[in-house]
Amino acid sequence: MAIATPAADPGELLAVRDVTKSYGAGPKQLVAVRDVSLSIREGEFVSLLGPSGCGKSTLLRLVAGLSRPTAGTVLYRGAPVLEVNPHATIVFQTFALYPWLTVLQNVEVALKARGVAPAGRRARAVRLIDTVGLDGFESAYPRELSGGMRQKVGFARAMAVEPELLCLDEPFSALDVLSAEALRGELLELWLNKALPTRAILMVTHNIEEAVLMSDRIVVMAKNPGRVVTTIAVPLHHPRRRQDTAFQAIVETVYAAVAGRTRPEAETLAQAGKRLPRARLNALAGLVERLAGEGGRADLPRLSADLVMELDDLLPIVEAGELLGFVRVQEGDLLITPLGQAYADASILTRKELVAGRILRVPMINWIFETLQQDDDRRVDRDFFLERLRAEVGDQAGEQLDLAVSWGRFAELFAFDGRTDELFLET
Ligand code: ADP
Ligand code: MG
């Protein structure tokens, strides 16, 4: 008698079932992921989010069939993945382009590897390069391209294989803040307009806002051993706006899940005053680190004494920390928030992104950033800002603008050029 198997879900592309992957054996054995299950349906954009070392790349390799699970199964369209999965392609953080080949040749190589006849290769490569927005750069060499453009060539090359399942391993984390944001927008546009030959996307990231911005579902992972903690749906329409309350609410939920804590009180950056607290962000960074080092809670007056700082000097830093959502004050104690903890745990690059994402929601910073972005050459006279600020804050305008510039520079968003007296966008 045939044993009835549960009817396969026809829309399901990928099913990872109770997968464990260990490296090595004996006492040196390392469990990279344990008992992980997840599935992806056609049309879905799923993010795998978690700290470094929680097994995200390991999972992608299993999905792509580049390695086998120690236990459990990986099914692709219902069939076990036992060799390299021809339907899934991985785009890595820094895509290895051949430096001696042009952009066009780099893409053609992928088509050749896929067995596309020479006659069709060139036209298809040109079309792919056009799709990712690099038309005009066909004959450029990788070294002539910015990081963002090189990553686009990586996307074009991955597309050449026409993967049903596109796996992205931290595709934006090697880029500067602005290039990353631009490239996220472009990828989303291609995906949402169905301009890609791709049915689903599985993206690995450790950037929470990126996950909320792009995906339909976020699979949150933790490490030691790598495992799935929870899955969070992102039921927001595109285009998504980081400053929207609903967006923020999901970001906070995800932070709480990542940090394993309860949801913090709603943060109201946009409602904060039109004045920046008189604090340098590197001082705030130091404070957050210190607080994390003390287990997340410290007595304010003692902190002030320890740091040899008048409370009056410390409080603006605390205020900046509250504005960014990194700390909060309770009964004379300073507490670190899950967001602050995430900051303290993050790499330098992630920290910059985190701060940039937060301060862009402070009205004054946002206004300066938007103004610069809308300008033709991304440079605007300092006096332009000063004049408008005077209407808001009177004779504090100069000090406020200097503070804003120092914040912008800290997050590598914008800076001041003393030779021309202009503010300009960092690239
Ligand atoms: P992530 O991508 O989330 O940073 P990885 O999947 O790269 O995590 O790694 C998960 C764990 O498995 C880490 O502890 C890492 O050191 C270990 N690991 C990854 N690949 C190997 C390997 N080939 N041999 C031994 N250990 C590995
Ligand atoms: Mg990785």
Side-chain angles (χ1 to χ4, degrees):
M1 198 179 86
I3 297 167
T5 50
D9 174 351
E12 185 174 71
L13 282 186
L14 175 76
V16 173
R17 297 210 179 132
D18 305 319
V19 161
T20 293
K21 174 73 184 178
S22 310
Y23 293 107
K28 283 195 177 160
Q29 193 191 47
L30 185 136
V31 181
V33 292
R34 174 175 291 165
D35 290 336
V36 168
S37 295
L38 61 100
S39 79
I40 299 180
R41 297 175 52 81
E42 278 190 36
E44 274 195 310
F45 190 137
V46 175
S47 286
L48 279 182
L49 178 85
S52 176
C54 72
K56 304 181 296 291
S57 298
T58 296
L59 272 177
L60 282 197
R61 292 175 58 79
L62 291 169
V63 167
L66 300 176
S67 73
R68 301 283 96 72
T70 311
T73 40
V74 177
L75 301 173
Y76 193 85
R77 288 198 183 277
V81 174
L82 300 173
E83 50 192 37
V84 174
N85 182 349
H87 307 292
T89 305
I90 306 182
V91 176
F92 296 96
Q93 184 179 109
T94 45
F95 209 91
L97 300 177
Y98 299 114
W100 60 88
L101 297 182
T102 63
V103 166
L104 183 66
Q105 290 164 337
N106 263 289
V107 178
E108 281 183 305
V109 162
L111 291 167
K112 183 179 177 193
R114 198 175 167 248
V116 176
R121 266 182 229 155
R122 175 135 311 185
R124 229 160 98 197
V126 167
R127 198 147 34 80
L128 284 162
I129 291 165
D130 191 32
T131 305
V132 297
L134 280 182
D135 42 324
F137 289 91
E138 290 82 357
S139 55
Y141 287 89
R143 65 168 182 277
E144 302 173 74
L145 307 178
S146 69
M149 291 160 92
R150 279 201 289 267
Q151 195 64 335
K152 285 186 186 180
V153 181
F155 283 129
R157 234 164 67 164
M159 291 325 154
V161 193
E162 304 204 343
E164 273 189 328
L165 177 63
L166 181 61
C167 299
L168 307 172
D169 196 346
E170 305 196 9
F172 310 109
S173 64
L175 305 176
D176 64 89
V177 177
L178 295 179
S179 315
E181 192 61 2
L183 197 50
R184 280 179 201 118
E186 290 180 53
L187 178 66
L188 262 182
E189 175 122 357
L190 292 174
W191 165 246
L192 296 169
N193 292 335
K194 308 212 182 319
L196 301 179
T198 288
R199 314 295 274 271
I201 297 183
L202 178 59
M203 178 174 79
V204 160
T205 177
H206 54 242
N207 181 323
I208 294 178
E209 295 210 353
E210 175 175 297
V212 177
L213 187 72
M214 303 185 75
S215 41
D216 302 312
R217 205 146 51 80
I218 302 172
V219 177
V220 179
M221 298 183 67
K223 61 178 171 182
N224 301 323
R227 62 196 188 277
V228 172
V229 179
T230 184
T231 298
I232 296 168
V234 188
L236 302 175
H237 298 294
H238 289 281
R240 296 175 181 171
R241 297 163 47 89
R242 290 169 190 263
Q243 58 270 40
D244 284 352
T245 318
F247 189 98
Q248 278 310 300
I250 295 177
V251 167
E252 300 301 344
T253 307
V254 178
Y255 266 112
V258 169
R261 319 245 175 126
T262 51
R263 196 167 173 273
E265 287 135 64
E267 280 147 319
T268 50
L269 267 185
Q271 288 162 19
K274 286 176 178 162
R275 251 171 256 241
L276 299 179
R278 242 181 244 120
R280 303 276 155 180
L281 292 184
N282 48 6
L284 172 61
L287 181 69
V288 173
E289 265 169 18
R290 166 92 191 209
L291 200 53
E294 296 196 9
R297 186 179 196 120
D299 178 58
L300 260 178
R302 183 186 52 75
L303 208 56
S304 163
D306 285 359
L307 297 172
V308 202
M309 238 186 217
E310 298 290 336
L311 206 49
D312 284 354
D313 295 327
L314 182 60
L315 287 183
I317 303 174
V318 170
E319 205 185 320
E322 289 182 306
L323 187 64
L324 268 61
F326 290 171
V327 301
R328 65 195 170 85
V329 180
Q330 194 180 61
E331 295 160 357
D333 280 354
L334 191 62
L335 271 62
I336 199 165
T337 62
L339 186 57
Q341 189 63 48
Y343 177 87
D345 294 340
S347 66
I348 289 175
L349 199 71
T350 313
R351 284 182 168 196
K352 293 253 185 235
E353 282 182 31
L354 195 57
V355 171
R358 299 303 289 179
I359 69 173
L360 274 175
R361 264 176 259 116
V362 175
M364 193 193 305
I365 304 287
N366 192 276
W367 164 63
I368 293 172
F369 185 74
E370 296 279 353
T371 306
L372 290 171
Q373 240 187 353
Q374 281 155 21
D375 187 78
D376 290 343
D377 64 355
R378 316 266 155 127
R379 302 176 75 89
V380 175
D381 284 349
R382 182 174 184 273
D383 280 341
F384 170 89
F385 295 105
L386 209 51
E387 227 169 82
R388 277 154 189 82
L389 269 179
R390 267 199 203 100
E392 301 273 355
V393 297
D395 56 12
Q396 286 180 27
E399 189 197 19
Q400 284 288 308
L401 189 55
D402 291 349
L403 272 172
V405 168
S406 84
W407 286 28
R409 195 171 46 223
F410 183 84
E412 293 179 8
L413 288 171
F414 49 78
F416 175 62
D417 185 344
R419 290 165 309 155
T420 58
D421 246 26
E422 290 168 313
L423 270 62
F424 64 94
L425 267 197
E426 295 269 31
T427 45

